Structures are given as structure tokens and as C-alpha cells.
Amino acid sequence: MSVSPSVFLQESEENNVKSVETKQSQTTFIASEDPLQNLCLASQEILRKAQQSGRSKCLKCGGSRMFYCYTCYVPVENVPIEQIPVVKLPLKIDIIKHPNETDGKSTAIHAKLLAPEFVNIYTYPCIPEYEEKDHEVALIFPGPQSISIKDISLHLQKRTQNKGKTDDLERPSIKRKKTEEQESCDFSDGKCKGTTLKRVIFIDSTWNQTNKIVTDERLQGLLQVELKTRKTCFWRHQKGKPDTFLSTIEAIYYFLVDYHTDILKERYKGQYDNLLFFYSFMYQLIKNAKYSGAKQATELTH
């Protein structure tokens, strides 16, 4: 049966449209599957080279590692430290790591590597003393008493005022000074002298192990902050847990992004994106490996 040229051209155009639509849908799918693709990152060429050359020696302990030493918190020999980005943070971060958390699987180390002057890691039961600093410290962890990031300033103001009243009773001579500071508070714009959040605490642990740390008496009474709901990209997904349970480095990153816009009231321009320098590279490596494996399996079955 012959086909007229006009019919052939019409079918050809329809096929081309379908092809374009398929490619566009594939592109959209890939974009939605890769939320880390639009980050403002330093060049990861040094990581690509290190990945090709394989494990290298830690210059401190001599251990054989890939990219960095998770014991000493330093890059390994074939990853020069001067080629690793340094991130400046608006506050200090303390990470309390569960003793059963495997060092080599923890993403908390990324924060220490990339913002060494602002991040400290403690292994439980070691916890710093926060008792006299509860008006400037917050625990980032969901719970019945947790607040949103945008409400941090208001709650810090209340704590500062309560602390001022207590101090006035103990030291009447400075009552006027305390009162003047409290009157300088502007509740409308969320700013008040002496109410700046100076330190935040994150718990590095599987969700099933967090209870022992979060219920420790040394963390009781601290302002508790809950992050906005976001989906994790972590490749070590915890069995039986929703995909909104973030890895430690994701939680730190998303907190800082929201803190920058909601509390500092500044436009976010990727200032903390390099906290995901190692994380995004590893994510892409694993994603590519999975894709290659799935492609090879498809080729074998067809």
C-alpha cells in the first residue's frame, strides 16, 4: 500500500513532536531527580582526579582514605588542602555524634572539613556546657516544643528578658542597664541587642539512636528548632524512615539557608553551597554508578 507524501510528512512531524516531548519529559525528570545540580560550588576537579587515582594516605595518622580522613578531619595527600573551599558561617556549630555512628559513613565530617573555624564535633557523652548560654544557643531537632526558624529571634528575646529579670534580683546595681537593653528591643523587626543566636547544635546519629542524646539533661531547656520539610538525597536511606529525614550535612546546610533569609534578612546567593562540596560529588558518583548498572542490566535483558 502506498502512502502519499502529505500523509508521510504529517506522520513524520507527529513523530518529531513526540520525540521532543519525550526528551523534554526526560530532562524534567532528571532535573527533579537532581536537586543538587544548581549549587554554586567550587571546582570539583581535584575530587575527580583523586577518585581516579584511588585511596591516598592521611598525612596525620597515615591511614588509607578516599578524599579525606574521617578520623583526623583533614583532606588526604592527593587532595591539597588549598584546593578545598573554606566556608564562612554566621554562627558556631556543635555536632554531638553518637558513639555508634560509623565515622566513615558520617556526613558531619564534611562540615568540619569545609568550615573548620566554625564547626566542632563531640562524641557523646562529651557535651559542652550550655547552662548559662541558653539565651544564645539552639538545638536543631524536631519535637513537641520545637519552633520554626523564623521565630528564633522572638524566643531569644523572651529568654534574654527573663535572664535579665533574674540577674536584676541577684544584682540590683545593674538593673537600670538591663532595663535599657530590654527597652531597645524592637519586636516588629525581630532585632534586639543581645538576642543574637551564636551557636547551634546538631545531633549526628541514626534516628533510632537519637533519643539517648536529645534527652540528656545537659541539653534540656535549650531552644529547640525544627527545619522546614525537605527531601533527602542521602544514598544511605534509613530503613522504614520517610525521605524527609535528612543527613547531618543536609540539615546543617538547609538550616543556614533558611537562617540567612528568615533571620539575617539577606538574599541567599549560594554563600553556604560549598558545605555540600563533598556531598554533591559523592551523590553524583553513586547516582552515575546506579544509572550505569541499570543501563547494563537493561542491555543484558534485551
Side-chain angles (χ1 to χ4, degrees), residues 126-279:
C126 293
I127 295 180
E129 181 58 60
Y130 301 118
E131 187 175 354
E132 298 298 322
K133 302 176 182 178
D134 63 337
H135 60 292
E136 58 187 35
V137 178
L139 172 64
I140 313 303
F141 196 83
Q145 302 299 320
S146 61
I147 63 167
S148 63
I149 290 176
K150 63 182 178 62
D151 292 328
I152 287 177
S153 293
L154 176 62
H155 285 268
L156 287 180
Q157 287 169 7
K158 290 179 180 179
R159 284 170 178 257
T160 300
Q161 288 179 325
N162 291 335
K163 185 177 185 298
K165 291 176 182 178
T166 302
D167 288 346
D168 287 346
L169 293 174
E170 295 176 354
R171 292 173 292 177
S173 61
I174 61 170
K175 185 174 182 179
R176 181 175 296 177
K177 180 181 178 183
K178 287 290 180 182
T179 304
E180 289 173 353
E181 286 184 359
Q182 290 162 19
E183 288 176 349
S184 70
C185 294
D186 185 349
F187 286 87
S188 62
D189 66 3
K191 293 180 180 179
C192 176
K193 182 179 179 181
T195 63
T196 305
L197 186 63
K198 295 182 179 180
R199 188 177 301 271
V200 288
I201 306 164
F202 289 86
I203 296 175
D204 184 39
S205 169
T206 62
W207 283 93
N208 292 331
Q209 296 175 333
T210 54
N211 189 61
K212 186 175 182 179
I213 298 177
V214 78
T215 57
D216 189 287
E217 61 179 8
R218 291 168 290 180
L219 298 181
Q220 302 312 298
L222 293 178
L223 188 64
Q224 204 163 321
V225 179
E226 186 168 356
L227 300 177
K228 294 177 184 176
T229 300
R230 290 184 172 95
K231 289 187 177 181
T232 183
C233 295
F234 198 31
W235 46 92
R236 294 190 179 98
H237 184 70
Q238 296 182 37
K239 188 176 180 180
K241 301 299 180 183
D243 58 5
T244 53
F245 281 28
L246 304 175
S247 65
T248 303
I249 193 64
E250 286 176 315
I252 292 172
Y253 170 73
Y254 286 128
F255 167 81
L256 289 169
V257 171
D258 291 343
Y259 182 82
H260 194 85
T261 55
D262 294 345
I263 301 299
L264 300 183
K265 305 294 184 183
E266 295 178 14
R267 183 181 176 186
Y268 184 68
K269 300 178 181 179
Q271 290 92 330
Y272 315 121
D273 284 10
N274 273 321
L275 284 175
L276 300 177
F277 180 74
F278 291 105
Y279 186 82

Side-chain angles (χ1 to χ4, degrees), residues 97-117:
K97 189 172 74 70
H98 194 282
N100 293 339
E101 185 72 6
T102 305
D103 290 341
K105 295 181 179 180
S106 172
T107 61
I109 294 158
H110 298 179
K112 180 63 177 175
L113 284 162
L114 297 162
E117 293 184 12

Side-chain angles (χ1 to χ4, degrees), residues 233-236 283-296:
C233 295
F234 198 31
W235 46 92
R236 294 190 179 98
Y283 168 80
Q284 198 61 50
L285 276 182
I286 292 167
K287 181 183 174 185
N288 291 342
K290 287 182 178 179
Y291 176 77
S292 299
K295 187 177 180 181
Q296 289 175 359

